[in-house]
Amino acid sequence: MTEATLTHAIDHGLSEDEWKHILRVMNRAPNLTELGIFSVMWSEHCSYKSSRVHLKKLPTSAPWVIQGPGENAGVIDIGDGDAIIFKMESHNHPSFIEPYQGAATGVGGIMRDVFTMGARPIAMLNALRFGDPKHPKTQHLVSGVVAGIGGYGNCMGVPTVAGEVNFHKAYNGNILVNAMCVGLARTDKIFLSAAKGSGNPVVYVGSKTGRDGIHGATMASAEFDDASEEKRPTVQVGDPFTEKLLLEACLELMATDAIVGIQDMGAAGLTSSSCEMADKGGSGIELNLDKVPCREKGMTPYEMMLSESQERMLMVLKPGREAEAEKIFRKWELDFAVIGITTDTKRLVLTFKGETVADIPVAALADEAPLYERPWVEPEHAKPLGEVAECASVGAALQALVASPDLASRRWIYEQYDSTVMADTVQKPGGDAAIVRIHRTNKAIAVKCDVTPRYVQADPFAGGQQAVAETWRNLTAVGATPLAVTDNLNFGNPQRPEIMGQFVLAVRGIGDACRALDFPVVSGNVSLYNETNGQAILPTPAIGGVGLMKDVTKHASVPFKGEGQAILLIGDTKGHLGQSIYVREMLGREEGPAPAIDLKIERRNGDFVRGLIEAGRLTTVHDVSDGGLAVALAEMAMSSGIGARVAHAGAGSRTGFWFGEDQARYVLAVPAGDVERILSDAKLAGVPAVKLGETSGTSLQFDGEAGVSVKTLKAGHEEWLPKLMAG
Amino acid sequence: MKARVTVMLKSGVLDPQGKAIGQALDRLGFQGVGEVRQGKVIELELDETDAARARARLSEMCEKLLANTVIENYAIELK
Amino acid sequence: MKARVTVMLKSGVLDPQGKAIGQALDRLGFQGVGEVRQGKVIELELDETDAARARARLSEMCEKLLANTVIENYAIELK
Amino acid sequence: MKAAVIVFPASNCDRDVAMALERSIGKPPLMAWHADASLPDRLDLIVLPGGFSYGDYLRCGAMAAHSPIMREVIARAKKGTPLLGICNGFQILCETGLLPGALMRNASLKFVSRSVAMTVEATNTMFTARYTPGQTIRIPVAHGDGNYFADKATLDRLEGEGQIAFRYAQGDNPNGAARNIAGIFNEQRTIMGMMPHPERVSEPLHGGTDGKAIFDSLVGALS
Ligand SMILES: Nc1ncnc2c1ncn2[C@@H]1O[C@H](COP(=O)(O)OP(=O)(O)O)[C@@H](O)[C@H]1O
Ligand SMILES: [Mg+2]
């Protein structure tokens, strides 16, 4: 076996120091297969070497948290023996290279993370960022990514119920495709990945292993001189049909007690699954690679260990249960092979054709993985916004804003996703958060993901807080009690101190908000190096939240329900225009500080609104976010076809009042007769509340301006994306 | 001139459709069927009389639109 | 023996995929492209040495599974 | 009333339609696995659910149409056992030839998931008796291949013989289907195939109950 050298290590993306570290922990030079295993386990993706120190500071516990970060996904308790298992994950780079397959396999990967723990996926979300709408690649990327997400999720029969999409030139060379999966399990049937015990069979199930995803750079080594470009596809093709079978087969086996531990083969497939299972179980694993089901002839141990073929799982069974398990996987027409055994050596040992081809202490791969405290600097603070001229017509500005890239309707996207399969979707895409009933019960979860990258860019700490707060607010707006979040931290190159600074501060902001809102982080994913030629993306820490509603019949939604209702605004309006969509779209200025976040106020206002919904006193709510109050009102009008007459009800400029992006605000519509009581209840709760006007007619009228027709607003709002996509 | 472009997944790239077709044929009792791969075929009319020029234009179409060369190969036939 | 089955929509059956490709080619600046039709191609390995027998088996596969003769035609080529 | 739902690999609306049947019948239907070659003796209704049987690879419904249980389903249908195919189930019925025509790729070339308005075209059937003639209802669709195609003679015959069950409302055809056809019957009206998903609007929390009448009609006719 060829001994690896420093050059090989560098080809594999390892640094010289990391190479020396390998020599130290191995006490000898590794061979190429072993080097490949190290390179994968010590990669940013698997080891979190740049981010781990900071992630450790996030709050991860609460009485309802069953499993925090560290397993395939986080688990929370929603009562009655039910658990929700969820996580978000990125597939950014593959989606840029091949948008359909990249996005599809991203969806497949995150679903496996969730069902490997024993959950049936019940909801999918996606957070997408594309470049400038006018960029020549954008249309192609949007259409491929959306078709890929739909293609995989729809076939799986899991409803895709919510998401978010932004366009900004900072993503021209690096789009973001983050997918979130939410699953349902029983609290006493949660499966972990530890390969405990010695002498237990290690079983491979799912699809066969091919040469998928073995990266060009790591293939540059001598061992593969005859492998042609043809043989090295670096983009994986998803097979949702096989995944659906794998899901059903796993859940069927999980109904028995045959499984000791189970883990999906995600990035770095067999390598990371076997190492992580052994590490968590405090055991060793011995694999006979001759037994690995291969799709192609002549696959080497190196290829088998590094392949990223999709739709595969690794399990450790109780001894003697193999036949029973095999029967289930055969029924579902899936590959099933006993490929190894757990040991007490705490080593990962691989044999192939009678020879030992790798022998590595598991701890060296896991605990000894490098850990960096990368230098960071605090990014420059955004300068004050300065004067903003008073807008001449709120209605005219609104007409432009609702048809702008970040505010236009996402219908073209979400109508390609099956959002109602499983027949438990109560709030489809288009609401503040989606609502999915827990099957055969009267309770439901609410889910949504959010982040406002331009705020994070202007102020990483406040932007991190805001991402959490907005997610929390969206869950609250439908009547759910927010319980926990997952995150997907997308940033540029962490070796640049200013990017690392964004990361560190944003994570602090997230942690701060999660603590203040009792909204712990139970799982997550980090995607770094999202930059091209030194141009980093906007820092984009996406937050995916889950909330619980005990009585699904008590929920609120965005559309006005009828004319003659009073419109109330909850929360304080200062007219903050810094980093607002208004100044960006209308004045071409991406300037000013991000809005201030006060988490005590956030919580107080949100708790008040939720209390009204839970009491059955409120059914029409929309939170105020991008575009401010005027846009929130327009969304309520467009979704119902009902207009409103409203008037400025505060100090400050009209522009600031209608388009400012102050936080912690909600718009409510209530029967006229309820206004007084709600206002007095708000006063008692210390919550700012004011009446803005009432619903009426079919146009929106601000401060006595000429009304803008809701129909016209809606036409512009609905038209933008289909037009873009029609080329 | 009529042309036919055939676009197939590169060998080594998983072809779930081909795999499923192979299994279905097997279930239907067709024995002795080896590997099955599924691809696309695109037939076009070109207002071109010169074969070399036609080929050049078709290659460009394939590179730009008809095939995704990250995972697919294409072949051009003129009729 | 290797075989190739080409399945195309019957003429008269609308082919939106072909049409979309034609429009996309046009947008990309490829002029003089007439009708475009898209179909499927299925490549199979058969353990058969006799061409006539191979053809007969392939026809049966097409009739039973590979083509929907309500809307599609098929053609068989042996290599 | 005894109903069976056939489960193919990657069916994914089997549970949803079973719930809808259970709500109307009062007890859960039998779930029959595609590899089983037989069905219980007495069955009042067989349902082919929506989903992506066999991944919808090659053509939607093509592979499921040839699975072992379909031989039995076809035999029962020919003897008159009522058969309902929803979405993928409709595609399978066309692939088996139990219903005429074919479901082609949506004209938009995109998957479409939304609520559509449609009219009830025939109410003198066991599937639709609980609707009123010409009633407009809203039911969600979710499919990539729902573009109903048949030659002119077949379409004329379907129209002439009252074999059209549902039509998309004018201007709300989500897939390009010929003559706005959303669902059809066989000649005897013992088989119905439809693209929309009635099981997804069968209780108030779904935001509508326009689909429930189909299950209620069947219960009314068959128990
Ligand atoms: N990629 C997507 N997939 C599914 N639904 C989406 C997607 N993007 C946006 N949506 C839906 O469109 C609506 C508007 O999204 P967004 O503007 O992010 O809401 P909010 O301002 O309340 O955070 C929401 O219901 C959201 O779930
Ligand atoms: Mg919202």
Side-chain angles (χ1 to χ4, degrees):
Chain A
M1 238 154 306
T2 330
E3 243 183 42
T5 63
L6 172 61
T7 317
H8 290 128
I10 287 170
D11 281 346
H12 279 72
L14 293 163
S15 70
E16 190 168 347
D17 282 344
E18 289 168 344
W19 166 247
K20 286 187 187 144
H21 194 165
I22 294 176
L23 294 180
R24 230 171 18 249
V25 297
M26 288 290 283
N27 233 335
R28 63 172 166 87
N31 63 36
L32 280 176
T33 303
E34 291 168 333
L35 178 67
I37 292 172
F38 272 102
S39 77
V40 162
M41 290 303 294
W42 287 11
S43 69
E44 192 66 64
H45 190 94
C46 287
S47 71
Y48 288 82
K49 57 191 170 192
S50 304
S51 57
R52 211 154 26 141
V53 252
H54 304 285
L55 298 178
K56 282 225 172 78
K57 296 175 187 150
L58 290 170
T60 60
S61 57
W64 52 88
V65 173
I66 295 177
Q67 174 67 56
E71 278 291 333
N72 286 298
V75 186
I76 55 172
D77 191 334
I78 58 162
D80 316 304
D82 294 319
I84 290 292
I85 304 191
F86 65 105
K87 181 170 189 284
M88 177 150 46
E89 196 160 77
S90 66
H91 232 207
N92 302 336
H93 188 61
S95 302
F96 186 74
I97 304 291
E98 209 310 281
Y100 185 98
Q101 295 297 345
T105 51
V107 168
I110 191 62
M111 283 197 186
R112 281 194 297 287
D113 270 327
V114 165
F115 71 75
T116 195
M117 296 194 71
R120 176 174 290 282
I122 59 169
M124 294 297 298
L125 297 86
N126 55 102
L128 311 177
R129 262 89 207 172
F130 298 104
D132 187 332
K134 295 194 197 77
H135 188 273
K137 274 203 154 145
T138 298
Q139 185 198 356
H140 164 73
L141 291 168
V142 173
S143 92
V145 164
V146 170
I149 290 173
Y152 209 102
N154 297 346
C155 181
M156 288 297 289
V158 181
T160 299
V161 293
E164 56 165 348
V165 187
N166 287 149
F167 294 88
H168 192 279
K169 62 179 189 302
Y171 304 102
N172 280 354
N174 297 84
I175 61 169
L176 302 182
V177 175
N178 298 170
M180 172 169 162
C181 178
V182 183
L184 174 67
R186 297 293 295 171
T187 50
D188 59 356
K189 271 281 180 191
I190 288 164
F191 292 80
L192 302 182
S193 56
K196 291 215 180 86
S198 140
N200 291 331
V202 177
V203 174
Y204 170 119
V205 295
S207 283
K208 291 184 169 42
T209 298
R211 293 188 173 96
D212 308 281
I214 304 171
H215 291 284
T218 55
M219 292 286 292
S221 43
E223 214 170 299
F224 313 101
D225 40 15
D226 65 346
S228 67
E229 188 53 36
E230 268 280 271
K231 283 170 78 184
R232 304 175 192 165
T234 56
V235 172
Q236 310 127 48
V237 169
D239 180 0
F241 171 54
T242 298
E243 175 114 327
K244 169 75 173 157
L245 304 185
L246 189 59
L247 162 67
E248 298 301 336
C250 285
L251 292 181
E252 194 170 323
L253 181 60
M254 285 165 168
T256 72
D257 64 345
I259 298 176
V260 174
I262 176 165
Q263 153 106 0
D264 66 298
M265 295 194 222
L270 201 45
T271 292
S272 61
S273 53
S274 53
C275 294
E276 282 165 22
M277 290 186 79
D279 179 48
K280 293 209 177 99
S283 63
I285 278 189
E286 211 175 295
L287 300 180
N288 176 357
L289 297 180
D290 298 303
K291 297 278 173 62
V292 171
C294 286
R295 201 168 77 221
E296 290 174 76
K297 291 199 195 82
M299 288 191 60
T300 64
Y302 178 98
E303 291 174 319
M304 288 184 221
M305 293 308 287
L306 266 63
S307 163
E308 294 192 346
S309 291
Q310 303 288 299
E311 293 96 21
R312 303 179 299 162
M313 294 271 194
L314 198 65
M315 314 187 287
V316 174
L317 297 180
K318 293 182 182 162
R321 307 297 290 274
E322 297 91 322
E324 170 186 357
E326 176 161 9
K327 199 169 153 228
I328 292 173
F329 284 85
R330 294 288 175 221
K331 168 186 158 194
W332 291 98
E333 300 186 28
L334 293 164
D335 270 291
F336 176 101
V338 178
I339 63 167
I341 191 161
T342 59
T343 65
D344 59 8
T345 62
K346 304 200 174 191
R347 303 182 76 84
L348 176 71
V349 178
L350 308 177
T351 61
F352 185 61
K353 299 197 165 140
E355 258 184 80
T356 299
V357 293
D359 185 347
I360 311 174
V362 170
L365 293 166
D367 308 348
E368 293 283 335
L371 198 56
Y372 298 122
E373 281 225 41
R374 299 209 185 267
W376 61 277
V377 293
E378 188 146 345
E380 251 177 72
H381 275 282
K383 293 186 190 63
L385 179 63
E387 268 311 292
V388 173
E390 190 72 327
C391 95
S393 156
V394 173
L398 184 59
Q399 181 76 55
L401 286 186
V402 296
S404 67
D406 278 350
L407 293 177
S409 167
R410 272 45 181 145
R411 184 183 304 277
W412 186 93
I413 293 173
Y414 62 68
E415 284 192 348
Q416 293 185 58
Y417 304 148
D418 191 338
S419 53
T420 51
V421 64
M422 296 185 96
D424 283 314
T425 304
V426 176
Q427 173 63 59
K428 290 187 276 201
D432 278 328
I435 303 175
V436 177
R437 176 178 55 183
I438 302 303
H439 196 58
R440 284 187 187 274
T441 73
N442 193 41
K443 63 186 179 187
I445 53 164
V447 291
K448 180 70 170 88
C449 53
D450 282 293
V451 57
T452 313
R454 59 184 192 279
Y455 296 170
V456 190
Q457 173 83 15
D459 182 343
F461 182 80
Q465 289 178 313
Q466 196 274 343
V468 175
E470 185 173 348
T471 308
W472 188 89
R473 202 180 307 145
N474 274 320
L475 301 180
T476 296
V478 299
T481 303
L483 290 182
V485 305
T486 182
D487 64 53
N488 204 143
L489 309 175
N490 307 275
F491 288 81
N493 180 352
Q495 298 182 40
R496 282 169 53 196
E498 58 280 21
I499 300 286
M500 201 57 211
Q502 291 176 340
F503 182 85
V504 172
L505 293 170
V507 169
R508 276 190 199 163
I510 291 169
D512 182 60
C514 288
R515 240 171 255 116
L517 297 171
D518 269 329
F519 204 25
V521 179
V522 296
S523 60
N525 178 249
V526 177
S527 170
L528 301 174
Y529 300 97
N530 291 290
E531 59 179 69
T532 304
N533 304 330
Q535 277 301 110
I537 56 164
L538 296 183
T540 310
I543 301 294
V546 175
L548 175 67
M549 29 216 322
K550 294 218 165 85
D551 177 358
V552 62
T553 61
K554 302 243 170 57
H555 67 261
S557 62
V558 172
F560 290 136
K561 307 292 184 294
E563 290 189 54
Q565 291 218 324
I567 300 174
L568 307 182
L569 172 65
I570 300 294
D572 208 15
T573 301
K574 297 210 169 66
H576 182 94
L577 286 167
Q579 295 301 333
S580 67
I581 296 260
Y582 178 86
V583 298
R584 189 182 77 189
E585 294 299 324
M586 303 306 290
L587 310 175
R589 296 167 62 184
E590 296 186 44
E591 293 169 11
I597 306 289
D598 183 326
L599 296 156
K600 276 208 194 75
I601 292 175
E602 187 73 56
R603 189 164 179 153
R604 192 187 59 199
N605 294 0
D607 287 350
F608 177 72
V609 171
R610 189 183 321 101
L612 292 177
I613 301 171
E614 284 174 341
R617 294 170 62 192
L618 182 59
T619 58
T620 306
V621 180
H622 190 16
D623 75 309
V624 180
S625 56
D626 282 351
L629 188 49
V631 167
L633 287 163
E635 288 168 346
M636 299 173 88
M638 290 185 294
S639 55
S640 61
I642 297 171
R645 265 198 308 266
V646 286
H648 183 299
S653 75
R654 290 177 72 215
T655 314
F657 185 77
W658 293 117
F659 297 109
E661 297 184 4
D662 305 272
Q663 300 292 299
R665 295 185 299 162
Y666 302 81
V667 179
L668 325 181
V670 298
D674 295 356
V675 172
E676 232 161 275
R677 231 187 100 204
I678 291 181
L679 290 181
S680 70
D681 286 354
K683 197 162 184 195
L684 270 178
V687 170
V690 53
K691 183 171 170 212
L692 295 177
E694 54 280 317
T695 58
S696 83
T698 55
S699 66
L700 262 182
Q701 205 189 54
F702 295 91
D703 305 328
E705 277 181 8
V708 278
S709 131
V710 174
K711 221 172 172 177
T712 319
L713 279 175
K714 189 172 161 102
H717 182 64
E718 291 294 349
E719 197 175 76
W720 183 81
L721 191 49
K723 252 195 180 152
L724 175 72
M725 298 313 295
Chain B
M1 184 179 296
K2 277 207 168 195
R4 176 154 90 161
V5 173
T6 311
V7 181
M8 301 292 292
L9 285 168
K10 288 182 180 174
S11 73
V13 176
L14 176 69
D15 175 9
Q17 302 224 53
K19 190 176 125 197
I21 294 170
Q23 288 167 345
L25 288 172
D26 194 61
R27 274 195 304 271
L28 281 173
F30 291 103
Q31 261 128 39
V33 179
E35 208 195 0
V36 181
R37 312 267 301 164
Q38 175 173 332
K40 278 190 295 224
V41 50
I42 296 145
E43 294 190 350
L44 317 92
E45 285 267 351
L46 283 186
D47 69 341
E48 183 75 76
T49 46
D50 180 77
R53 268 209 310 269
R55 261 180 205 285
R57 274 176 73 197
L58 287 163
S59 296
E60 208 190 325
M61 291 180 197
C62 287
E63 294 285 339
K64 279 207 176 148
L65 181 76
L66 304 179
N68 175 352
T69 52
V70 178
I71 48 175
E72 294 169 331
N73 285 328
Y74 59 88
I76 294 169
E77 292 159 86
L78 300 176
K79 291 195 195 170
Chain C
M1 184 179 294
K2 277 206 167 193
R4 177 154 89 162
V5 173
T6 311
V7 180
M8 301 292 294
L9 287 170
K10 288 183 178 169
S11 69
V13 177
L14 201 68
D15 174 12
Q17 261 168 311
K19 206 171 117 200
I21 294 173
Q23 287 165 347
L25 286 173
D26 196 60
R27 268 202 304 276
L28 284 172
F30 292 101
Q31 262 127 40
V33 180
E35 207 196 357
V36 182
R37 312 267 303 163
Q38 176 174 330
K40 278 186 282 233
V41 48
I42 298 149
E43 295 190 349
L44 317 91
E45 286 265 352
L46 286 185
D47 70 341
E48 183 73 75
T49 47
D50 180 76
R53 271 210 308 272
R55 264 182 200 286
R57 277 177 70 197
L58 287 163
S59 296
E60 206 190 328
M61 290 180 197
C62 287
E63 293 286 336
K64 274 209 176 150
L65 181 73
L66 301 180
N68 178 346
T69 51
V70 175
I71 45 172
E72 294 169 329
N73 286 326
Y74 59 87
I76 294 168
E77 293 160 88
L78 299 176
K79 294 199 194 167
Chain D
M1 174 177 160
K2 224 165 133 186
V5 176
I6 311 292
V7 185
F8 299 99
S11 287
N12 61 32
C13 306
D14 42 328
R15 189 188 78 176
D16 309 353
V17 79
M19 284 295 296
L21 286 165
E22 181 178 337
R23 267 192 297 271
S24 288
I25 299 173
K27 63 171 197 273
L30 170 93
M31 306 303 279
W33 180 237
H34 75 111
D36 297 345
S38 67
L39 285 166
D41 274 345
R42 222 204 89 230
L43 269 184
D44 302 307
L45 173 71
I46 301 174
V47 179
L48 305 182
F52 284 67
S53 59
Y54 297 94
D56 271 357
Y57 295 149
L58 187 63
R59 283 187 317 281
C60 303
M63 297 187 193
H66 294 288
S67 63
I69 205 157
M70 280 310 291
R71 254 166 289 182
E72 180 67 15
V73 170
I74 292 168
R76 295 289 176 97
K78 291 203 163 138
K79 278 191 222 144
T81 305
L83 188 51
L84 169 64
I86 299 169
C87 197
N88 195 223
F90 185 16
Q91 294 162 341
I92 296 169
L93 288 174
C94 288
E95 282 283 340
T96 57
L98 286 171
L99 290 175
L103 291 148
M104 311 212 334
R105 190 83 192 272
N106 292 348
S108 65
L109 302 180
K110 294 195 301 280
F111 190 93
V112 57
S113 161
R114 64 179 175 87
S115 172
V116 297
M118 42 191 235
T119 54
V120 183
E121 298 288 310
T123 53
N124 56 342
T125 79
M126 68 176 97
F127 299 95
T128 55
R130 298 277 165 101
Y131 292 110
T132 52
Q135 188 180 343
T136 298
I137 56 177
R138 292 199 74 89
I139 298 190
V141 295
H143 59 247
D145 299 74
N147 183 351
Y148 185 74
F149 173 89
D151 57 33
K152 183 171 176 305
T154 308
L155 292 171
D156 289 344
R157 197 180 66 242
L158 288 174
E159 281 183 341
E161 302 294 319
Q163 282 175 250
I164 297 182
F166 304 103
R167 275 191 225 260
Y168 303 116
Q170 222 30 269
D172 210 11
N173 182 336
N175 51 36
R179 302 191 193 178
N180 292 325
I181 289 174
I184 58 172
F185 304 108
N186 64 341
E187 251 170 81
Q188 296 75 26
R189 290 182 190 65
T190 52
I191 304 178
M192 180 170 86
M194 64 188 295
M195 287 314 298
H197 286 277
E199 73 278 16
R200 298 188 193 180
V201 273
S202 61
E203 59 169 318
L205 263 184
H206 289 156
T209 54
D210 282 355
K212 190 167 187 297
I214 293 180
F215 305 102
D216 288 345
S217 300
L218 286 165
V219 171
L222 301 172
S223 20

